[in-house]
Amino acid sequence: MDGAVLLILAIAGVAAIFLFSLKGLLDQVPDVIDSAGRARDAWRRFKKPESSQPDEQPPPANEKEQPPAAA
């Protein structure tokens, strides 16, 4: 009879440790996915040639620049 109780307690302990470990692993999954997305975005920025980015165009030369109006 004592052996059966110990077996039940052992099984319950192993199950509790397994569930605790599984919960810890699953809690880390969203952070891993976010990190993978940031790494993918950084890689795309790294591989993207700089010349394809639009340059700022200067204002037309025929317009006179006026100082900003005081509020």
Side-chain angles (χ1 to χ4, degrees), residues 18-50:
F18 173 74
L19 291 174
F20 184 75
S21 300
L22 183 63
K23 181 188 178 305
L25 179 67
L26 291 177
D27 285 344
Q28 294 176 3
V29 170
D31 294 332
V32 171
I33 292 171
D34 291 340
S35 296
R38 286 193 305 268
R40 184 188 62 233
D41 293 341
W43 181 255
R44 286 180 182 166
R45 283 192 311 270
F46 175 74
K47 295 294 283 183
K48 185 177 183 180
E50 292 181 17

Side-chain angles (χ1 to χ4, degrees), residues 48-69:
K48 185 177 183 180
E50 292 181 17
S51 62
S52 67
Q53 295 176 350
D55 294 333
E56 291 185 25
Q57 297 187 4
N62 59 0
E63 293 182 16
K64 294 181 180 179
E65 292 186 24
Q66 297 179 357

